[in-house]
Amino acid sequence: MAEHEIMTDAIIFLDQLVIEDVKTLCDMTVETGFFSNDEVLIVEELAWSFITEGAESDYSFLLAAPGCAQHDRPFAFACFGPIPCTNGSWELYWIVVDQHSQGCGFGRRLNNEMERRIRAMGGRKIFLETSSRTQYLSTRGFYEACGYQMESRLVDYYEQGEDCLVYSKILKRP
Amino acid sequence: MAEHEIMTDAIIFLDQLVIEDVKTLCDMTVETGFFSNDEVLIVEELAWSFITEGAESDYSFLLAAPGCAQHDRPFAFACFGPIPCTNGSWELYWIVVDQHSQGCGFGRRLNNEMERRIRAMGGRKIFLETSSRTQYLSTRGFYEACGYQMESRLVDYYEQGEDCLVYSKILKRP
């Protein structure tokens, strides 16, 4: 616990990806056990598009890493972006915390930092989609603890019997 | 009316795009007056990606054209595709009928043909998003006439005061 507490103080946020990060993010996503192979391939694809297209990309990445030079391998990331053809709506596509770093509040701090940046870019509201499966109860608990509320349900979306739950959060002006 | 009736009989569906179609589709989309510049740019981008990537593209186009060799300029199109990371859910992104050909049932026939093809590819359910603005009342009426039902509402999605309405239709097995 002591080590985590030190890391909590020393966390840094990075808004650029280097090539080595792609494998780190994919491995971290696989290891959580919460994502399908297709979803991991999409993380990889979006990470590459962010590296090659930079600010032109529709997707932004924000990484959380320990704040010491000897060990800057990210242990959490969020992928998000403005929703095309909307004015001020953003989507949180992924937020993943390395399984060894979960339960220490890093996901919540990463989400807070992402919200701060989205607000600074004129964002009004964040949407995200998650599954109705029991497996994702802890995921939904995390979003609710971060202040997201379930706004709608799309029945049989992922497959027959598995709905899509759309959560959202209104960003308050500071 | 007589001409439309003949055209109704002779309508053909095309599932490939040629380069000349891109301008036709964009012009048709602009002329309806229902789409923003950003949305027209997306139609253009998706059309090019469909031409260059073909079956690799995540987006399919289906065109309706008069069924005579002398005049094969399309007068309606649908753009749709399987929703990534779902099993059998498809999204109808755009369905546009040239403003001079509206009110003759072409949109509905095009939608029927699209549904037939989606069902043949294992689709279970089609989703689409539209705006809550009064301007889109006729659009919503069209979707309802095609058997789509409003399934959920995302408040202040497009902008403050303009919601996203998610419509869906379950595809019955033949």
Side-chain angles (χ1 to χ4, degrees):
Chain A
M1 282 305 289
E3 190 186 341
H4 282 140
E5 280 162 21
I6 292 165
M7 283 172 66
T8 303
D9 288 338
I11 188 173
I12 55 168
F13 297 107
L14 308 164
D15 55 13
Q16 301 208 324
L17 284 184
V18 294
I19 289 172
E20 298 75 50
D21 290 330
V22 179
K23 185 172 183 315
T24 305
L25 303 193
C26 290
D27 289 350
M28 189 189 308
T29 306
V30 170
E31 285 164 10
T32 64
F34 278 93
F35 300 96
S36 69
N37 288 345
D38 277 0
E39 289 170 320
V40 176
L41 284 174
I42 294 179
V43 168
E44 184 173 14
E45 185 187 325
L46 300 186
W48 278 116
S49 112
F50 185 63
I51 289 175
T52 52
E53 297 174 27
E56 299 284 300
S57 169
D58 291 334
Y59 304 95
S60 295
F61 278 82
L62 186 64
L63 312 181
C68 50
Q70 304 94 309
H71 180 200
D72 60 358
R73 189 173 176 275
F75 58 80
F77 74 95
C79 174
F80 55 100
I83 302 178
C85 304
T86 72
N87 182 5
S89 284
W90 286 63
E91 181 110 9
L92 170 54
Y93 298 103
W94 314 85
I95 186 160
V96 177
V97 178
D98 182 287
Q99 60 174 347
H100 304 296
S101 307
Q102 290 180 10
C104 308
F106 295 134
R108 202 154 158 180
R109 291 181 65 194
L110 178 59
N111 179 72
N112 286 347
E113 178 64 17
M114 177 197 72
E115 285 184 15
R116 196 184 67 73
R117 292 174 184 231
I118 290 176
R119 204 186 293 111
M121 288 183 282
R124 282 182 299 105
K125 192 167 176 179
I126 301 176
F127 292 89
L128 65 88
E129 299 179 351
T130 191
S131 160
S132 64
R133 281 169 61 189
T134 314
Q135 186 195 349
Y136 294 95
L137 259 176
S138 62
T139 308
R140 302 202 291 277
F142 167 74
Y143 292 133
E144 285 160 15
C146 288
Y148 292 86
Q149 293 188 311
M150 200 184 107
E151 179 160 342
S152 76
R153 175 188 290 264
L154 303 173
V155 176
D156 296 333
Y157 182 89
Y158 294 108
E159 60 184 308
Q160 194 77 34
E162 184 181 1
D163 304 343
C164 172
L165 309 180
V166 183
Y167 280 75
S168 64
K169 180 173 184 177
I170 297 167
L171 297 178
K172 300 250 181 342
R173 295 291 110 201
Chain B
M1 279 308 287
E3 190 187 340
H4 282 141
E5 279 161 24
I6 293 166
M7 283 172 65
T8 303
D9 288 338
I11 189 173
I12 54 169
F13 297 106
L14 307 164
D15 55 12
Q16 299 209 321
L17 283 184
V18 294
I19 289 172
E20 299 75 47
D21 290 330
V22 179
K23 187 173 182 316
T24 305
L25 303 193
C26 291
D27 288 351
M28 189 190 307
T29 306
V30 169
E31 285 164 11
T32 64
F34 278 92
F35 299 96
S36 69
N37 288 345
D38 277 359
E39 289 170 319
V40 176
L41 285 174
I42 293 179
V43 169
E44 184 173 13
E45 186 186 323
L46 299 187
W48 279 117
S49 112
F50 185 63
I51 289 176
T52 52
E53 298 173 27
E56 299 285 298
S57 168
D58 291 334
Y59 304 94
S60 295
F61 278 82
L62 186 65
L63 312 182
C68 51
Q70 303 92 313
H71 179 198
D72 60 357
R73 189 173 175 274
F75 58 80
F77 74 94
C79 174
F80 56 100
I83 302 178
C85 304
T86 73
N87 182 5
S89 284
W90 287 63
E91 181 110 9
L92 169 54
Y93 297 103
W94 313 86
I95 185 160
V96 177
V97 178
D98 183 286
Q99 60 174 347
H100 304 296
S101 307
Q102 290 180 9
C104 309
F106 295 134
R108 204 156 156 178
R109 290 181 66 194
L110 178 59
N111 178 72
N112 286 348
E113 177 64 17
M114 177 196 73
E115 284 183 16
R116 195 185 67 72
R117 293 175 183 230
I118 290 177
R119 205 186 291 110
M121 288 183 281
R124 284 182 298 106
K125 191 167 177 180
I126 302 176
F127 293 89
L128 64 87
E129 300 179 350
T130 191
S131 160
S132 64
R133 281 169 62 187
T134 315
Q135 185 196 349
Y136 294 94
L137 258 177
S138 62
T139 307
R140 302 203 288 277
F142 167 74
Y143 292 132
E144 285 159 15
C146 289
Y148 293 86
Q149 292 188 312
M150 200 182 107
E151 178 160 342
S152 76
R153 175 188 290 264
L154 303 174
V155 175
D156 296 333
Y157 182 88
Y158 294 109
E159 61 185 306
Q160 194 77 34
E162 184 181 1
D163 304 343
C164 173
L165 308 180
V166 183
Y167 280 76
S168 65
K169 182 174 184 176
I170 296 167
L171 297 178
K172 300 248 180 342
R173 295 291 108 202

